[in-house]
Every structure is written in structure tokens, then in C-alpha cells.
Amino acid sequence: MSRLSLKNGAPKEISDEDQCPVCKSSRYLNRNMRFLVNPECYHKMCESCVDRLFSSGPRVCPVAGCNRTLRRQRFRPQTFEDIQIEREVDVRKRVAKVFNRREDEFDSLLDYNNYLNEVEDLTFNLIHKIDVDATEKKLKAYEEANKAAIRENEVLASQETQSLQAQEAAEKEHARLRREAALREAEEERRERAEGRLDVINQLARGEGNADEIARQGRRTLLKKSTARRVGTGDEMDTSDSAGTGLQFKGLRRRARPEPEKPFEPFGEVTVEHEYFVLKGHYAWDFLDTARTSQTYRAGGYDISEYCSRALTDAFAGLAVFVGEEQTAT
Amino acid sequence: MRFNIDELEVLFPYPRIYPEQYAYMCDLKRTLDAGGHCVLEMPSGTGKTVSLLSLIIAYQQNSPEKRKLIYCSRTMSEIEKALAELRQLMAFRTEQLGYEEEFRGLGLTSRKNLCLHPSVKREKSGSVVDARCRSLTAGFVKEQKEKGEDVELCIYHENLDLLEPHNLIPPGVWTLDGLLQYGEQQKQCPYFTARRMMPFCNVIIYSYHYLLDPKIAERVSRELSKDCIVVFDEAHNIDNVCIESLSIDLTEDSLRKAARGANNLDRRITEMKASDAQKLQDEYSKLVEGLRGADQAREEDQFMSNPALPDDLLKEAVPGNIRRAEHFVSFLKRFIEYLKTRMKVLHVISETPLSFLAHLKELTFIERKPLRFCAERLTSLVRTLELTNIEDYQPLQEVATFATLVATYEHGFTLILEPFESDTATVPNPVLHFTCLDAAIAIKPVFDRFSSVIITSGTISPLEMYPRMLGFTTVIQESYTMTLARKTFLPMIITRGSDQNTISTSFQVRNDPSVVRNYGNILIEFCKLTPDGVVVFFPSYLYMESIISMWQGMGILDTVWKYKLILVETPDSQETSLALETYRTACNNGRGAVLLCVARGKVSEGIDFDHHYGRAVINIGVPYQYTESRILKARLEFLRENYRIRESDFLSFDAMRHAAQCLGRVLRGKDDYGIMVLADRRFLKKRGQLPKWIQQSLPDSDTNLSVDQATAVAKAFLKGMSKAYPAHLQEGISTWDMDDLRRHQAKMAEEEIRMLRKEAEMRERERVRRRVVEDEEDEYGDMEVDYDDLVPV
């Protein structure tokens, strides 16, 4: 740890791995000691120190020279041994959220690589605190400018991971099934063999026919069975295998962009077809003309076609109804 | 002798040939003609290498395109043996043909074995030699020298530049020693001579790794053309070699070192920025273009190298976010830090590369794509920074290789994190195994690139397993039996002790006193009756230790002691070589010795016990792998799901190939003789999986013996062996001279004509009938495995 130091003038960490730099208690004294870090300054301290210092609200980091205010909530266990890497990964997380362009969005590989290079430069600057302000500004600007694209790619990425997980689970299940099948098969074979043997012994015991002949016969049937089974299972395995490849819809998913969302359909895509009339775009009627032109009608949301369709529906509503039928039905 | 195989004139450097050698050559030629791959099994000690070489050289010299031969073997000593054979063959050819062919044959091995530099060659470790060599030979060092800086150069390497680049060494066959001597004479570096001459060679002999390990193959074997003939000799373990070459184990220590390496890189970058920013800028602008365009020549001095990458990836440009050197280093640091956090977990985790990548992305925002370029980018950076002390960056390179592999392959790999060394350990010592499960991945490039790949070994049964596991199709797979004028080896299976208790090393009974005592009795009896050396193989070190201590308690060792010196193999290689030396001395004089070793250890793999060094080999127990290992479990599962090889099938295949390998240790030629004992009840059912040549001399009467019966059989056998058997009795049966061969060829030709005629006559009827017959034959053929099950005991 000692060879690593943060460049912002934070003191070097001189403690060895098993000592809390704040309270100096070590793993020898406290066996279950856990170290936590805060992504604000990445100074590590033990759990009890965090409890002690930050339970009554935010405070300044206890490490000398580090004047950052820390909150208890943001403390978390350290993933990487190297604090530098821990920090780097946090930075990357942030950058990767914004710069999530995909290769297929670029015309050529060269462009994509240049893009990657650019992004890496930004990240590198952030990590090593070179021109932080300028870089942050760039980051912000890019984020603002490309909000939609970022969102879209996020969705894609999450879909990808999901399909990957699904595929993995399916594969695992598949493997399990095959393993079970193999076990069953072996078991069956053993059973059959034992049966065949018993059969031969029984025949021999009855003393009918030539002993050699019986033994040979027994062997032959056994072998036939086993070869038949071997062939059979081979076929079966093959089909199951092809089913396995059929399951891999990974490529498909990835290519197909999600379809643009359809407008909300209150009737669940049931469209009402008028049987007896066709709604025209224009009806020549003075009353309607006033409604069509007048600001006051339209401001209230009055829709002429709506009116027309209702009027026509009312007019034709009774056509398919026969009073006699209705009465018998009730 | 000179003879023809279908119009092809083959020169064979011995006056006599074995029938199986002839058959082997015929099949090889058919394979080469057809342009496909093959798997051939030929008993050890029947001159496999020489028949292979003489056929392929004949083929090569008689064809217009002169297809190059790449001969891969496993150990240094085998490489040297093959080179010596080749040399002899070429000398014979020159003598017979009356002129010298334009021919170059070279062997390649590591720098450590081929270095001449006075101080570098004294280094003990191979990686140090490599690193120091680089610091003396790398391109930038030379540039610095030319600029007038005070740097040291290797004079041997410099002298190479004065020679014609395609004629660094005169034609001929160069053994490794010969190469060293020539290098010393001419003051030129033997290693780089061999490397640079590879494109101009007719035959290259080197170790598997130069072709299979993608990290090395990329540099060494890239330029070999497509029509090369590739031979893997002693290939019974090739799947494991493939898997090892792509598997990586990471420990906390290696991560720490890798982190240190990354910090060093960081420092170097800062230094370079201050002193020579232009170079970094140059590299950057090159990387913008694309990886391969960047390093126009992937020079031979490149030390760090990338694992198998698909070609399309290599043509692509490096992702933008690791283009800058400092970005890349911070990327590496983040990755290492992530691995460190993974190591802290205290329970076993097994996951797929995909889920690993998903978690990685969630935690550190490392995407898959830059990860794939990691190894390549590191190589480029190291070259730009002109680092000389490469060995410090080895762990970092390992991490980078891991990154590349994990991001490249979705299937066929698994990640297993084992926090504890054993189940009982309490102090965590985490290891992250990144294991390759699919042997086909590493060898696929070889099969894709070369049209003829020949896989051969003394024990490679069952043959059909290899094409299945390695994912290729064969033109020919064949197993040859050994033609013998008299039975010179005696395989037998002991299933019971003298007290009629069955013996087995299966887990439930292995520590039963009766089983242990019966095994002890076998040892005593065979030590009594065999002259000279006895080799005993146990399934594991653990079991060997426990059984030895029990034998000690029972007084068995004291009895053995009366007849033989007892020597034991240990995991420590130096101790083992001392034991081996003592064993050989003891066999050379006096009553001989007994060597207790492990079926998967060093002794079983590369050491021959020819003649009096091994008159009996005893396999105690079936050498199964440790089945509780998680890596093995993962591999078994993978094999079952992808290649439809059942767990039990694979395990028993693997055990039997090791058993066969152990048995083959004692028989190294036709004039050799030995007893092969398989002492376990379970061998009875598995004998069908032994190589054909062993099965052929294992009669049913010898497959279910008790210890006293076995002793009697062995005694009778040894008595027979002790009779003088002059070589001329073998002639015509197990060795052929020219006349025998001609007779055989004539017979074969006649046979063929007769067959053809017959076939033409009754093709229709025959076809129908044969199908029926074949079916039935098959049923009988496979049967014997289960037969004993059915007979009530």
C-alpha cells in the first residue's frame, strides 16, 4: 500500500494491510475487522471507526490533511486491494455511463477506435487529475448533447446482459438435463446387463439345450441391446443439441432494435368498424361550418368528425336490432 | 537394400527389413498419395523411425515438388536419435545412388542447448538463456551499437549476417552436436543458423511444442508451406500436450510479480516519454493502422508472443482504448487487480469464460475486445520500449496471454479457482486454473494447414479415439502386429493371489492386508525368478508410498532385498535420475535391481529399459487418473457433451494407454525379451484395449492367473529364452532379406490380381453376402469383453 499515494496531496498510507489507520487497532485485536472506504477521498478505515465518527452526521475525514466532509451513507467495503484502482473504477463507471456508444454506430472501425481513444484520454485525465475542470466540462457538454443516444444505448446494453444471463441459465439447465440423462442411461445399462446375465444363468440352470449356445445367445442379445441403445442415444443427443443451438437467440436479439413504442391504445387494439356508413371527411352543413371555423369551439376541444361519427352511429344504431329477438333473448 | 513400392524406389539402410516395416511403409505411401491424415501404431523397437524416414525421403526426392518433412518428437534424446538415423540413411543413399543429393536436414532445440556464447551458455535456466540471448541479439541493440552506444553484441549472431542468408550451412544432415561443432568452427550461432535455415531445409526435426504450442509455433513454424508432411512420433500423449499448451495457471505470487512488471512498464514509459517520446509516438501511429501492418517483420528475436489468434483478428487494428502505452498499462493493472480480488474467494469456483467476462465487465469496465488484443499489444509495447531483461516480464506476459485466450474462446475452456491446495488444507493458496478442455483447439491449425499429418506411436490404441478427440478424419488407421519367429515377450494378467483372493487397486480394497500381501508376493516371486532388472509401476505416488510402508511392516521388502537392490522413483527429478543411474549400474553387474516407479511419472514416459535393464515389468493396478480432480471432471464432462465419449470410456482408455506405455518400456527390439505382468483383476475386462501387438501374444490361458500359476509360466518362458537362438532362424519369418521381400511382393501382387478377378466375377452376390457376414463378425469381435461376465464364477 505504501507505494501508492493519491496525487492531491493526501498523505501516504503507511499502515500495513491489517491495521486501521485511524484507530490503529489491528486484525490481531479485532478478528472481524472490515475496512470501508468513502469514494469522496478513498481513505480506508475500519467499520467501528466509521460507526463512531459518522453516526451523528457528516464530518471531516479523520485522516490528517484531508479536509473533505464525509457522510456515513456513502461508505462501502473495498472491492480492490489497490485504492487507486478502486477510484479508477468509480471514475470509469461514471464515464462509461455517458460514453456508451457502440461499434455499429460508427462508419468505420477506425472511427470507433478513435472514439475509444478519445474517451480513454478523458478517463485518464480524470483519474490522474489532469485538467479536471476542462475534462468535466467536456463530459457535461457531451452528456447534454447526446442524451437520447445515451439512453437508447443504455437500454440496449441492459437487454444484452439480460439475454446473456438468460442464455447462460438455459445452458446450465441444459447441461444438467444431459447429465441426468447420461446417469439414467448408465443405470439402465447396468440393470439390463444384470438382467441378461440372470436370464442366461436361469436358462443354464434349466439345462435345456447346449450351454455354449445359450451363453453365446445371451452375449449377442446383450450386445445388440447396447449397440441399439448407443445408436439411439446418439440420435437423441443430436436432436437435443440442435435444440440447444436453436435456443441461442443472442444474435437475433442484439441486432433487432426495439420497435418504437406505439401510442397507448385504450381499447387494446380493437378497432370499431362501422357497418352501415362510411365517415366522410367533409359534410356540407352550415351548422358545422361555424363550428369548424370558430375559435371558441375549437379551443374547447370540439371535434367535428367526432360529432359526425356519433350522430351517424346514433342514426344507424337500431338497424341491426330486431325487437322480437331482443325480447325472446331476455 | 533397395526395393520398390508401387513404382517408388525406396532405399532402406539395412540389409534386412521387418515385415511390419514394409507394411508400415506401404500404408504411409498410400496416405501421402491420398493427401490425408493417418494414425499408425507400430510396436516399439521395430524400427519405426527409420522406416518412416526412408519412405518419406524417397517420396520427397522422387516427387517434383519436394515436400518438406517436419518430424516432431517428444524429448531431446528422441530428436537426437532421429537425427542420427537420418544421417545414416542419407549416407546410405549417397553410397547407393553414387551421387550426393541436394539435401538439408536440421534439428532445432532451445537456445539453452544450442548456445555458444561463452557466458550465456553457462546459465542454468532456459528462460534466462533466452532473455540474455535477446539482450545480445535483438534488432534494437544492434541499432544502438551502430549509433555508437556502448552495448554488447553476440559475435556468433553477428557473424551470421556476413553469410548468404539462404546458405548459412552447407547441405547435409546436421545433428545437434554437429551443428554446435560447425558453429564453433565458423564462429556462427547454431540456434539462429537452424532457425533461419528452416525454410531451406528438406527435413526439420524438432519438439512438439514448436508446432503445437501456439505461443512458439507462431514464431518458429509460421513460414512452413502448406504441403509439408508433418509427423508426430510418440504421439500417444498428444492430446495432453495440446491441452497443456493452451492452459494457464495463475497464482497469487505470479499476479504479484505481474503487477510489479506492470509498474516497471509504467516507469519505463515515463522515462521514455522524457527521453525519446518520438518512439512511442511512432508506435502509436503504427497501431492506428493495424497490428500486422505495424510490425512489418515479426522478427525472430521477438520473445514474447501471442497465443493462437484467429487471422481476422490479427489484421484488425488495436482497439482505441489501449492504443496509448499508458492507457494500456493502466488497463493491465486494472485487470491484474481484478484477478487479485477474485483470488480472495474462499470457495471453489468453476465458470465459463463468458460469465467471467461478464463479471469482469461489471466490476472493472474491461470490454472483451481490448482483452483479446492484450498479448499482442504487450509484445508491441515491449519491443518499443526496447526492454532487455525480458524474464522479469514473464508473469505479466502470462497474464496477458490468459487475457487473450479467455476473451478469444467461448467454448472448450473453463476457469476453475481452487482456493486450497487440498481438501484438508486451511491456509489458502489460491490457484486460478484456466484449462483447455478441447485438445482439438491447439492442433486444429496444424490439421488445417498441412495436408498430410501422420500420428504414430508404439502404443496408440484404441486408434479411433484419437481422431475423435482431436477432431480430424483419417485416410488410414492401422495397427501392426509384431512378427516373431519365437515368442520373445510374455504378457500375462494376474487376477488372484496364491490364496485365491482377487487383487485390485480399486479404492475399496487397495489397503486390505491380503491385497497388499499378494502384491508383495508377486514382487518377491518375480524378483526371485527374473535375471537382471525388474521395473514395477504403481498407479500413483501416494499409493506407492503407502504400499511400500505396509510391505516394510510385513517384512516383504526384507525378502526382496535378498534378491535385488530396491530403488524408488520420487517426484524430484534429480533424485530419480540418481536412482536410475544406480539401477543401471546394479543391472550391469550383480543380481540386478528392482525399480519402483509411478505409471505417470518421468520413468514411464521417456526411459527405455532395453535388454538386461528390464527383463520384467509389473503393473500393479490400473493406472487411472485421479478422478476427484476438478480439471479432469470438467474435461470428462466436456468430452461427453461434445464428442460423445463417455466418462468411463475415456478414463479406461487413458489408463490403458499408460499401462501399455509402461509395458512397452521393456521391449525395445526384436532381439530383446521380457515378461509383462498386469496385476489387477480389472485388466481382465480391459485387455481388448491393449495394443494389437500385445494382445496378439496374450492367449486366453494367460489372462486369469494366480500368482503361483504366473510364476510357473514365467519360469518356463525364461527357460525357453535362455536357449541360444541364432539370427538365421528368424530369417524369412520376422526379418526379410531382398529375396523374401520380392517373394512377398510377388505374392501380394498375385493376391491382388486374384482378388480383382474374383471381385469382378461375383461382385453382385458377394456384396450382399459380405454385408451379412461382416455384421455377424462384428458381433463376435466385440463380444469377448463381456464373455467372462456371463460365465458364473
Side-chain angles (χ1 to χ4, degrees):
Chain A
M1 278 305 123
S2 58
R3 65 195 138 87
L4 302 159
S5 63
L6 300 177
K7 282 188 184 164
N8 64 340
K12 283 186 180 179
E13 297 188 21
I14 37 160
S15 62
D16 62 48
E17 203 181 315
D18 286 343
Q19 198 187 26
C20 171
V22 180
C23 63
K24 308 288 183 216
S25 82
S26 67
R27 193 147 282 174
Y28 179 72
L29 297 169
N30 179 3
R31 210 163 250 257
N32 303 323
M33 198 158 65
R34 276 175 73 214
F35 289 107
L36 301 175
V37 289
N38 193 313
E40 199 66 43
C41 67
Y42 295 99
H43 288 127
K44 77 169 181 184
M45 54 194 87
C46 70
E47 211 170 5
S48 61
C49 280
V50 173
D51 280 344
R52 183 167 51 83
L53 295 169
F54 299 98
S55 50
S56 53
R59 263 190 63 162
V60 174
C61 174
V63 175
C66 173
N67 294 321
R68 287 166 193 267
T69 313
L70 308 179
R71 284 162 200 284
R72 188 178 171 197
Q73 238 180 352
R74 298 200 58 196
F75 274 97
R76 52 155 206 222
Q78 190 178 333
T79 324
F80 296 99
E81 196 184 302
D82 192 336
I83 293 290
Q84 190 84 338
I85 302 283
E86 184 87 32
R87 204 181 135 255
E88 185 178 338
V89 168
D90 283 339
V91 172
R92 275 178 195 282
K93 196 180 255 168
R94 206 154 59 90
V95 176
K97 240 187 190 155
V98 179
F99 290 97
N100 57 1
R101 290 257 179 227
R102 305 161 68 83
E103 192 176 340
D104 44 14
E105 289 176 64
F106 290 89
D107 289 339
S108 72
L109 189 67
L110 186 66
D111 288 336
Y112 178 59
N113 280 334
N114 288 340
Y115 158 81
L116 283 179
N117 197 356
E118 197 69 21
V119 174
E120 191 65 28
D121 273 337
L122 287 180
T123 322
F124 199 75
N125 284 350
L126 282 180
I127 290 164
H128 294 272
K129 312 233 159 115
I130 309 162
D131 290 340
V132 179
D133 292 338
T135 321
E136 287 285 0
K137 219 175 269 169
K138 268 192 217 163
L139 199 74
K140 280 262 157 54
Y142 177 86
E143 192 175 359
E144 281 302 313
N146 297 291
K147 247 183 191 157
I150 291 170
R151 180 101 53 75
E152 197 175 301
N153 281 337
E154 237 167 54
V155 172
L156 271 179
S158 77
Q159 260 177 16
E160 227 164 66
T161 43
Q162 261 173 22
S163 79
L164 194 76
Q165 275 164 1
Q167 191 193 334
E168 211 168 287
E171 246 164 46
K172 246 183 207 162
E173 177 66 18
H174 206 70
R176 195 183 59 81
L177 287 179
R178 265 178 301 182
R179 198 161 33 237
E180 274 173 10
L183 277 179
R184 251 201 319 277
E185 188 193 318
E187 180 61 36
E188 197 152 298
E189 193 178 328
R190 199 163 43 240
R191 200 171 46 77
E192 245 166 48
R193 179 171 294 197
E195 267 172 18
R197 196 160 159 185
L198 204 68
D199 201 37
V200 171
I201 291 175
N202 284 341
Q203 277 190 35
L204 286 169
R206 263 182 261 128
E208 297 159 0
N210 186 354
D212 274 349
E213 191 56 41
I214 291 170
R216 202 173 302 141
Q217 197 67 37
R219 274 184 283 141
R220 194 176 297 175
T221 47
L222 244 183
L223 190 86
K224 253 184 198 154
K225 267 185 201 164
S226 77
T227 47
R229 188 171 41 239
R230 211 158 286 177
V231 171
T233 50
D235 287 352
E236 189 189 308
M237 289 280 241
D238 276 334
T239 51
S240 69
D241 207 46
S242 64
T245 49
L247 250 173
Q248 292 175 342
F249 34 71
K250 178 178 121 209
L252 211 147
R253 264 268 178 105
R254 195 190 283 171
R255 289 287 144 70
R257 295 249 169 157
E259 285 175 20
E261 257 181 48
K262 284 181 193 146
F264 178 64
E265 190 76 48
F267 302 114
E269 304 198 3
V270 177
T271 46
V272 183
E273 284 289 324
H274 302 295
E275 244 180 292
Y276 302 104
F277 61 91
V278 177
L279 196 64
K280 278 185 195 165
H282 181 78
Y283 292 95
W285 190 20
D286 303 347
F287 173 70
L288 283 184
D289 282 339
T290 46
R292 200 172 285 130
T293 47
S294 160
Q295 287 277 346
T296 42
Y297 283 90
R298 279 168 54 196
Y302 189 80
D303 188 1
I304 295 168
S305 62
E306 197 71 24
Y307 165 78
C308 294
S309 108
R310 202 179 66 230
L312 285 166
T313 314
D314 284 353
F316 290 101
L319 272 185
V321 180
F322 302 97
V323 181
E325 268 180 28
E326 290 285 299
Q327 277 175 342
T328 52
T330 53
Chain B
M1 63 203 276
R2 281 168 94 150
F3 54 90
N4 284 341
I5 300 179
D6 318 333
E7 313 305 307
L8 176 71
E9 187 181 39
V10 179
L11 277 80
F12 190 73
Y14 297 101
R16 286 182 173 71
I17 189 170
Y18 298 151
E20 55 269 28
Q21 282 179 324
Y22 178 71
Y24 187 80
M25 286 191 205
C26 291
D27 280 339
L28 261 181
K29 179 164 182 303
R30 266 165 50 208
T31 313
L32 294 181
D33 286 339
H37 315 310
C38 70
V39 181
L40 300 174
E41 179 184 66
M42 176 137 121
S44 46
T46 49
K48 195 170 36 206
T49 313
V50 71
S51 22
L52 221 159
L53 286 175
S54 46
L55 184 98
I56 294 179
I57 301 293
Y59 195 85
Q60 183 183 56
Q61 296 296 332
N62 284 316
S63 70
E65 65 264 30
K66 304 236 166 188
R67 293 168 70 182
K68 190 181 289 192
L69 165 66
I70 306 171
Y71 181 95
C72 302
S73 198
R74 220 179 24 184
T75 57
M76 266 286 283
S77 65
E78 274 158 9
I79 290 170
E80 270 172 57
K81 258 191 272 175
L83 276 167
E85 288 275 18
L86 181 64
R87 198 188 176 113
Q88 210 180 336
L89 171 70
M90 289 321 288
F92 179 75
R93 283 185 75 93
T94 315
E95 188 196 319
Q96 287 288 313
L97 295 171
Y99 60 91
E100 205 158 318
E101 289 158 301
E102 171 74 19
F103 185 88
R104 270 198 191 87
L106 279 179
L108 182 65
T109 171
S110 65
R111 285 168 220 246
K112 186 174 170 292
N113 296 325
L114 283 180
C115 186
L116 284 176
H117 191 273
S119 75
V120 176
K121 75 174 173 196
R122 245 175 272 138
E123 297 288 352
K124 292 230 163 38
S125 124
S127 60
V128 177
V129 174
D130 285 1
R132 287 204 53 198
C133 178
R134 177 186 149 91
S135 69
L136 295 173
T137 58
F140 64 85
V141 182
K142 197 161 182 204
E143 273 169 38
Q144 284 173 356
K145 181 83 175 177
E146 274 159 13
K147 270 187 238 156
E149 285 170 50
D150 183 30
V151 284
E152 202 190 338
L153 286 176
C154 176
I155 185 74
Y156 293 93
H157 179 251
E158 289 314 298
N159 283 344
L160 282 182
D161 293 342
L162 307 176
L163 298 165
E164 283 176 82
H166 60 275
N167 194 16
L168 298 175
I169 195 164
V173 178
W174 296 93
T175 58
L176 299 179
D177 273 342
L179 203 61
L180 275 173
Q181 272 167 21
Y182 183 81
E184 192 58 74
Q185 264 172 30
Q186 306 287 322
K187 297 274 173 252
Q188 69 184 59
C189 176
Y191 177 78
F192 281 104
T193 306
R195 279 280 294 274
R196 289 184 192 173
M197 286 307 288
M198 271 173 48
F200 310 103
C201 273
N202 301 71
V203 176
I204 303 166
I205 299 183
Y206 54 34
S207 139
Y208 282 3
H209 299 277
Y210 288 102
L211 210 54
L212 286 183
D213 193 335
K215 287 167 254 155
I216 312 174
E218 169 66 19
R219 309 201 295 271
V220 176
S221 312
R222 199 168 55 102
E223 285 161 359
L224 302 173
S225 66
K226 230 190 108 44
D227 64 349
C228 291
I229 301 167
V230 180
V231 175
F232 290 103
D233 201 354
E234 304 292 328
H236 47 270
N237 242 344
I238 196 164
D239 55 319
N240 291 334
V241 176
C242 291
I243 279 175
E244 270 160 35
S245 70
L246 281 180
S247 298
I248 293 172
D249 283 358
L250 293 175
T251 58
E252 264 187 335
D253 186 50
S254 71
L255 284 183
R256 214 174 301 125
K257 280 185 187 144
R260 207 177 304 145
N263 284 328
N264 280 346
L265 277 184
D266 211 3
R267 215 172 33 247
R268 291 298 296 258
I269 290 170
T270 332
E271 277 172 32
M272 190 157 230
K273 260 190 186 159
S275 66
D276 200 354
Q278 188 54 39
K279 264 196 184 129
L280 280 176
Q281 194 51 46
D282 283 351
E283 186 205 20
Y284 175 79
S285 46
K286 272 184 200 163
L287 288 176
V288 173
E289 315 266 300
L291 260 180
R292 270 307 145 83
D295 35 317
Q296 56 289 59
R298 293 173 59 71
E299 300 148 37
E300 59 190 3
D301 59 33
Q302 180 189 325
F303 264 64
M304 293 183 158
S305 54
N306 63 307
L309 284 177
D311 264 351
D312 54 322
L313 191 75
L314 291 174
K315 291 191 188 82
E316 215 184 295
V318 171
N321 44 3
I322 56 170
R323 242 163 20 188
R324 268 189 215 293
E326 60 269 29
H327 292 173
F328 177 61
V329 171
S330 103
F331 175 89
L332 276 179
K333 278 190 193 163
R334 218 166 349 129
F335 185 61
I336 294 168
E337 216 41 54
Y338 169 77
L339 290 176
K340 276 190 192 165
T341 56
R342 290 302 298 264
M343 291 283 207
K344 291 212 181 95
V345 181
L346 287 183
H347 54 93
V348 178
I349 293 173
S350 151
E351 62 179 345
T352 59
L354 270 184
S355 77
F356 175 83
L357 288 174
H359 189 247
L360 175 69
K361 193 176 166 202
E362 198 183 306
L363 236 66
T364 59
F365 300 94
I366 291 179
E367 300 263 354
R368 181 173 178 170
K369 202 164 162 212
L371 212 54
R372 283 173 89 174
F373 285 89
C374 219
E376 195 72 4
R377 180 70 186 87
L378 181 64
T379 315
S380 160
L381 181 62
V382 164
R383 198 168 331 110
T384 314
L385 292 178
E386 302 181 347
L387 298 176
T388 45
N389 48 340
I390 287 295
E391 71 265 31
D392 297 350
Y393 297 95
Q394 217 66 42
L396 185 62
Q397 201 223 336
E398 208 161 83
V399 171
T401 310
F402 165 71
T404 304
L405 284 176
V406 81
T408 308
Y409 296 104
E410 280 179 25
H411 297 290
F413 284 85
T414 189
L415 286 131
I416 296 174
L417 176 76
E418 285 188 318
F420 299 103
E421 250 168 313
S422 63
D423 288 339
T424 48
T426 49
V427 182
N429 180 18
V431 182
L432 182 65
H433 303 281
F434 178 65
T435 349
C436 175
L437 303 174
D438 190 355
I441 292 176
I443 207 168
K444 190 169 175 290
V446 177
F447 284 120
D448 283 353
R449 207 162 108 203
F450 301 111
S451 54
S452 292
V453 179
I454 292 150
I455 290 181
T456 179
S457 172
T459 52
I460 194 163
S461 288
L463 294 173
E464 68 280 358
M465 202 71 163
Y466 288 86
R468 258 166 100 190
M469 275 195 308
L470 301 177
F472 68 103
T473 50
T474 55
V475 183
I476 291 174
Q477 19 179 328
E478 190 61 62
S479 176
Y480 306 94
T481 56
M482 205 165 176
T483 50
L484 292 169
R486 63 168 181 170
K487 194 172 163 185
T488 54
F489 63 100
L490 177 75
M492 50 188 173
I493 299 174
I494 302 182
T495 56
R496 291 161 288 144
S498 304
D499 53 2
Q500 302 303 320
N501 277 334
T502 53
I503 50 171
S504 167
T505 56
S506 69
F507 190 72
Q508 296 88 349
V509 299
R510 56 161 54 175
N511 287 324
D512 280 4
S514 77
V515 171
V516 173
R517 187 175 306 110
N518 277 325
Y519 275 132
N521 282 337
I522 293 176
L523 186 67
I524 293 172
E525 290 302 328
F526 279 87
C527 283
K528 262 189 208 166
L529 64 89
T530 350
D532 301 321
V534 177
V535 192
V536 184
F537 287 101
F538 293 87
S540 68
Y541 282 113
L542 215 64
Y543 184 59
M544 180 165 81
E545 274 166 30
S546 85
I547 201 171
I548 287 177
S549 69
M550 283 169 90
W551 280 348
Q552 176 67 21
M554 292 172 178
I556 286 165
L557 290 186
D558 292 335
T559 323
V560 174
W561 197 248
K562 284 182 201 153
Y563 303 101
K564 303 269 179 219
L565 196 61
I566 302 172
L567 293 155
V568 181
E569 182 192 4
T570 59
D572 182 283
S573 74
Q574 256 169 350
E575 265 177 45
T576 306
S577 51
L578 185 67
L580 264 172
E581 211 174 298
T582 322
Y583 175 79
R584 287 187 196 279
T585 324
C587 289
N588 286 340
N589 40 49
R591 290 173 303 184
V594 53
L595 183 63
L596 308 180
C597 39
V598 172
R600 287 161 191 280
K602 183 173 165 256
V603 173
S604 72
E605 270 300 314
I607 288 158
D608 293 349
F609 296 100
D610 48 343
H611 297 105
H612 63 288
Y613 292 125
R615 285 301 181 205
V617 58
I618 304 173
N619 255 7
I620 291 191
V622 186
Y624 278 116
Q625 279 186 66
Y626 174 59
T627 46
E628 290 305 301
S629 138
R630 290 189 180 86
I631 295 173
L632 178 64
K633 275 184 179 164
R635 183 159 180 225
L636 287 176
E637 186 149 321
F638 180 84
L639 283 173
R640 195 190 61 227
E641 300 200 339
N642 292 279
Y643 294 113
R644 318 243 177 280
I645 297 171
R646 289 197 291 179
E647 275 104 334
S648 53
D649 286 353
F650 180 77
L651 283 175
S652 109
F653 150 75
D654 185 66
M656 287 315 281
R657 73 170 162 188
H658 274 96
Q661 190 59 28
C662 296
L663 295 184
R665 292 293 104 199
V666 291
L667 200 74
R668 310 309 298 179
K670 288 205 166 176
D671 50 347
D672 200 356
Y673 67 91
I675 301 169
M676 300 169 170
V677 178
L678 295 161
D680 193 311
R681 180 182 52 82
R682 292 172 291 176
F683 279 120
L684 188 57
K685 281 191 198 168
K686 294 190 194 308
R687 66 174 188 277
Q689 287 166 316
L690 285 170
K692 209 167 151 194
W693 59 276
I694 296 183
Q695 275 187 58
Q696 155 215 352
S697 38
L698 179 64
D700 277 352
S701 57
D702 283 353
T703 55
N704 198 356
L705 299 175
S706 66
V707 174
D708 45 341
Q709 287 166 333
T711 320
V713 174
K715 269 184 185 154
F717 169 77
L718 285 174
K719 242 175 225 161
M721 282 296 113
S722 64
K723 280 181 216 151
Y725 196 75
H728 68 83
L729 287 179
Q730 296 187 13
E731 269 170 34
I733 305 168
S734 64
T735 55
W736 286 345
D737 56 14
M738 207 56 223
D739 296 334
D740 291 321
L741 184 65
R742 272 203 207 99
R743 229 171 288 142
H744 175 75
Q745 280 178 333
K747 213 171 97 190
M748 288 316 281
E750 223 171 81
E751 193 101 311
E752 203 170 316
I753 292 166
R754 202 174 332 129
M755 281 298 288
L756 283 173
R757 206 175 287 153
K758 216 177 185 178
E759 222 168 86
E761 270 175 20
M762 34 193 241
R763 191 170 291 153
E764 277 315 302
R765 218 165 4 131
E766 180 75 349
R767 197 181 289 158
V768 178
R769 212 178 59 197
R770 201 192 297 151
R771 204 169 290 152
V772 175
V773 171
E774 255 172 16
D775 279 355
E776 252 176 39
E777 265 174 1
D778 257 0
E779 273 167 8
Y780 284 106
D782 260 4
M783 295 311 312
E784 55 190 342
V785 181
D786 288 345
Y787 182 68
D788 306 285
D789 252 1
L790 293 162
V791 180
V793 186

